[in-house]
Amino acid sequence: MSANPERRNQILDAAIDILCDDGVGGLTHRQVDSRAGLPAGTTSNYFRTRPALLEATAARTVDLHWQRVEQLQSAVGPLSRDALEALIVQLIHPNEPMRRVTLARFELFMESTRRPELQPMMRELQAAAVKSATLIVEAAGFTPAPERMEELSRLLNGLVFSNLTIAPESRALDIAGLVDRLLSAFLD
């Protein structure tokens, strides 16, 4: 069977949805076929094993993140400090398609603690997160040290994680204030 890139992405996007909705335990070839509306056996024709499907899904989340970085890079012009803060606050509250990809990404990060073969993809995903944060911060006129951006990115990842996983009514955080304090600590 020749590889069809659109079909491959359809399969992987369905796998991302399953990771988001059901976690790694719900990710099966049969479930992906069903979710993608494909004939039974299609996913296994593309990805023979479950580990191969997991690795390809992790790689797809990396690709989607890099696409988001490219969109940000082209869309973000010069920013003021206040605009930088507002943009980061928006990124902490991702829109629905990116919210689902982000939840799947965190699911994959957790699974990579049990499956070392996923670690290279997760490191690449972390590098993409640092790069996107760096692009945004540089657009605001700052020249951050790479190690500081790694630290800031990890802190923001934690904030995104808690924001996605703690029920909205439980959120007592002033996200804008927290981002302002983080930026002051890292950039001012």
Side-chain angles (χ1 to χ4, degrees):
M1 166 185 250
S2 64
N4 175 336
E6 290 83 21
R7 174 69 48 96
R8 186 178 193 282
N9 286 343
Q10 179 184 5
I11 290 167
L12 295 175
D13 290 344
I16 287 170
D17 281 343
I18 291 167
L19 287 175
C20 176
D21 294 338
D22 304 322
V24 171
L27 186 66
T28 65
H29 289 81
R30 185 181 314 208
Q31 283 294 90
V32 174
D33 287 340
S34 176
R35 180 74 61 107
L38 298 171
T42 303
T43 298
S44 64
N45 285 333
Y46 280 80
F47 309 101
R48 299 302 300 163
T49 64
R50 191 166 183 270
L53 178 59
L54 268 172
E55 288 179 40
T57 304
R60 176 73 173 150
T61 64
V62 171
D63 290 343
L64 291 171
H65 191 88
W66 278 117
Q67 288 175 21
R68 187 174 187 209
V69 169
E70 289 171 7
Q71 290 169 349
L72 281 172
Q73 191 171 17
S74 64
V76 174
L79 295 172
S80 66
R81 168 79 163 57
D82 290 342
L84 171 64
E85 182 180 314
L87 180 59
I88 291 174
V89 168
Q90 286 177 7
L91 292 172
I92 291 169
H93 298 285
N95 62 19
E96 189 52 30
M98 282 313 296
R99 178 186 169 280
R100 297 185 64 74
V101 171
T102 303
L103 286 169
R105 176 173 58 101
F106 285 130
E107 183 73 23
L108 287 164
F109 272 116
M110 292 303 298
E111 186 65 12
S112 75
T113 65
R114 295 175 287 278
R115 295 180 183 269
E117 66 272 15
L118 293 176
Q119 283 293 313
M121 288 333 150
M122 299 300 95
R123 282 191 292 277
E124 188 175 340
L125 192 51
Q126 178 59 21
V130 172
K131 178 70 173 173
S132 59
T134 302
L135 290 171
I136 293 167
V137 168
E138 287 176 347
F142 295 96
T143 310
E147 64 275 1
R148 298 298 282 171
M149 287 312 302
E150 174 77 26
E151 293 167 352
L152 180 59
S153 176
R154 286 177 184 261
L155 288 170
L156 291 173
N157 259 343
L159 186 55
V160 170
F161 180 81
S162 68
N163 195 46
L164 288 172
T165 58
I166 297 173
E169 61 276 359
S170 300
R171 288 188 199 134
L173 286 178
D174 168 20
I175 300 293
L178 181 56
V179 169
D180 180 58
R181 289 187 298 282
L182 280 172
L183 291 177
S184 292
F186 281 87
L187 303 176
D188 292 341

